[in-house]
């Protein structure tokens, strides 16, 4: 004899279990403020317990919204756990909103950004999140012209205001250079991202501002970029810092480059404390565990993810993009 099939999780079943009408259950699940908070929470708990998920097709027909947000992730290695950190923050912001997060890989192989065009044309999501902006970013241009909600992790040079969350890389590089000057470094060096990325300009501007203020000799590291593999970074740093005219102050805007530099310096017999002073941008707290301990400045990626999602929801609700811009300050320690 076959076992009876379990009931499909539906709003009707939630109504039976809660003693409410189907209409009240629907409004409670939609977050209707006219339904008491305690009732909304009780209904949501029942929905979670039985594994209820909304019928997205029906929901889209009824509201015109997919209740989906897409995150486009470019695979890159200069920041440990970049995608995971952003997703953690985004997920926190979306809790209780009814929105689902869908992550899409973006390998940057098509100049027309077909993945974004496909999402917009087929209305596969209500909004987009992405990172690694360029000065004249074609994604920002396209989405702005299409009137499609988005938030970028990074700024651009485009004149039309657009929503973004960005880290203050100018202040990171400026503070890092000033710290190295106070630590009595005599020649500064900074590793930069590729020229195509907007935050290279912010880092370079902050670095050069500090150089002008202090009158310090300097150089821009030329053997690699922040996007180079860890092996290539290590080899390039070993080669440059084996030369007699090497810098003795080094700024590294990522944890991978920081670890590569630490390994390179020690492998050629230099101390990252006494011989070459180092400042690293960390995003995970990893460098709190690295010895010898070097100077670090923290970028809070989970916070950035949360802020991006919050701004996107506000734009979806119709807020002016010019009001949806956040510049994240530097910090001394990982956030909560």
């Amino acid at each position: 004899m076959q076992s009876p099939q379990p009931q499909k999780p539906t709003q009707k079943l939630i109504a039976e279990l809660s003693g409410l009408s189907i209409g009240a259950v629907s409004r409670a699940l939609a977050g209707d403020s006219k339904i008491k908070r305690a009732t909304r929470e009780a209904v949501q708990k029942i929905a979670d317990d039985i594994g209820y998920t909304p019928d997205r097709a029906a929901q889209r027909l009824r509201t015109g919204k997919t209740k989906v947000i897409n995150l486009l992730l470019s695979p890159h290695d200069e920041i440990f756990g970049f995608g995971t950190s952003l997703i953690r923050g985004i997920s926190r912001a979306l809790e209780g909103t009814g929105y689902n997060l869908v992550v899409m890989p973006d390998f940057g192989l098509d100049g027309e950004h077909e993945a974004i065009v496909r999402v917009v044309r087929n209305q596969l999501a209500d909004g987009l999140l992405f990172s690694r902006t360029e000065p004249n970013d074609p994604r920002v241009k396209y989405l702005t012209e299409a009137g499609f909600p988005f938030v970028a992790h990074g700024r651009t040079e485009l004149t039309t205001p657009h929503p973004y969350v960005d880290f203050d890389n100018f202040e990171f590089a400026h503070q890092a250079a000033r710290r190295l000057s106070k630590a009595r470094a005599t020649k500064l060096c900074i590793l930069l991202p590729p020229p195509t990325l907007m935050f290279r300009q912010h880092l370079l501007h902050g670095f050069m501002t500090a150089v002008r203020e202090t009158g310090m000799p300097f150089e821009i590291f030329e053997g690699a970029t922040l996007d180079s593999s860890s092996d290539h970074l290590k080899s390039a740093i070993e080669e440059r810092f084996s030369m007699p005219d090497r810098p003795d102050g080094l700024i590294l805007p990522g944890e991978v480059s920081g670890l590569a530099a630490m390994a390179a310096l020690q492998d050629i017999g230099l101390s990252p404390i006494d011989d070459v002073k180092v400042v690293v941008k960390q995003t995970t707290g990893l460098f709190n565990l690295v010895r010898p301990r070097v100077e670090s400045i923290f970028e809070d990626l989970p916070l950035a993810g949360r802020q991006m999602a919050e701004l996107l929801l506000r734009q979806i609700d119709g807020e002016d993009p010019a009001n949806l811009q956040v510049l994240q300050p530097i910090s001394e320690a990982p956030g909560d």
Side-chain angles (χ1 to χ4, degrees), residues 69-283:
I69 286 173
N70 281 160
L71 169 64
L72 272 72
L73 270 184
S74 303
H76 55 94
D77 298 327
E78 86 271 12
I79 299 176
F80 280 128
F82 177 83
T84 303
S85 297
L86 275 187
I87 290 168
R88 185 161 70 247
I90 293 167
S91 299
R92 185 175 299 175
L94 296 183
E95 286 178 1
T97 66
Y99 274 91
N100 288 305
L101 178 66
V102 175
V103 180
M104 301 172 57
D106 181 12
F107 295 100
L109 299 178
D110 58 90
E112 300 301 319
H113 299 284
E114 293 177 4
I116 289 180
V117 174
R118 190 164 56 252
V119 169
V120 174
R121 287 182 177 172
N122 297 315
Q123 296 181 309
L124 301 179
D126 296 330
L128 277 163
L129 303 169
F130 56 88
S131 63
R132 292 169 66 83
T133 53
E134 302 173 7
N136 294 295
D137 200 296
R139 300 168 298 179
V140 173
K141 286 182 180 179
Y142 173 77
L143 292 167
T144 300
E145 291 170 1
F148 193 85
F150 72 94
V151 177
H153 185 239
R155 287 165 282 175
T156 68
E157 290 183 336
L158 298 170
T159 55
T160 303
H162 66 82
Y164 66 77
V165 174
D166 200 6
F167 179 70
D168 194 345
N169 282 292
F170 170 95
E171 193 59 27
F172 162 76
H174 182 261
Q175 284 291 329
R178 297 286 301 192
R179 291 185 190 189
L180 291 173
S181 175
K182 289 180 181 178
R184 299 185 179 179
T186 60
K187 184 180 182 181
L188 304 184
C189 179
I190 186 170
L191 176 74
L192 292 173
T196 54
L197 296 178
M198 184 68 203
F199 78 112
R200 176 190 173 100
Q201 297 187 22
H202 300 308
L203 287 167
L204 184 58
H205 186 195
F207 179 71
M208 294 305 300
T209 299
V211 164
R212 288 192 295 270
E213 292 170 350
T214 60
M216 295 275 286
F218 72 94
E219 68 178 66
I220 308 302
F221 193 81
E222 295 183 350
T225 73
L226 194 60
D227 274 9
S228 299
S229 70
S230 56
D231 288 341
H232 180 70
L233 276 168
K234 182 177 181 295
S235 296
I237 292 169
E238 285 177 348
E239 180 180 355
R240 176 65 190 95
F241 282 80
S242 295
M243 298 177 182
D245 63 338
R246 60 172 170 78
D248 58 358
L250 180 58
I251 299 171
L252 300 153
E255 288 170 324
V256 173
S257 59
L259 290 176
M262 295 281 283
L265 293 174
Q266 294 183 80
D267 282 356
I268 59 176
L270 296 177
S271 164
I273 299 295
D274 300 323
D275 300 312
V276 181
K277 295 171 174 57
V278 174
V279 179
V280 176
K281 184 205 285 185
Q282 63 167 331
T283 53

Side-chain angles (χ1 to χ4, degrees), residues 56-74:
R56 295 295 170 195
Q59 190 175 56
R60 179 173 173 177
L61 287 172
R62 186 173 66 254
T63 67
K65 293 183 177 181
T66 64
K67 303 300 283 187
V68 169
I69 286 173
N70 281 160
L71 169 64
L72 272 72
L73 270 184
S74 303

